[in-house]
Amino acid sequence: MVKNILVPVDGSEGSDRAVVQAIAMAEICEAKLNFLYVANINQLAINAFLSDAILEAVTKAGSVILDRAMEMVPSGIEKEAFSETGSPAVVILDFAAERNPDLIVMGSRGLGVVKGVLLGSVSQYVVEQSKCPVMVVK
């Protein structure tokens, strides 16, 4: 029985489709939705020295993405939002290990450094390493 769904979000179209699918699953199963935004600090370190201003901008962007996901959820469905920093695949798996979701629903590809080079690397890694079922939404 699915009662706790983890939904990693990054603001991409695939992520938005995953949110829609997760909401549908939550309605059917009467499950709680846990939205997780991971600020990809590894990606940012490639591009710039991590100043407080950059970290603040990343945090603010994550808040906007999480707020949008939360606003999509109809009333009556329990939901919670979380923001973390680090390598997305690793953070998603660590978060899942701590929270023990019954299901992870995520987009097939997100906002990578170079679109088209590592398509789906995060979702692929999560599928391969997760201890719980993972639904990948295209």
Side-chain angles (χ1 to χ4, degrees), residues 8 10-11 31 38 46 49 54 71 97 118 120:
D10 67 1
V38 182
I46 293 168
F49 177 75
I54 292 171
E71 289 169 4
L118 298 173

Side-chain angles (χ1 to χ4, degrees), residues 10 29 43 47 53 64 68 75 92 104-105 117 124 131 133:
D10 67 1
C29 301
Q43 176 179 324
N47 299 324
V64 169
R68 192 174 78 208
S75 61
I92 291 165
I104 299 172
V105 179
V117 174
Q124 180 179 348
K131 304 274 191 260

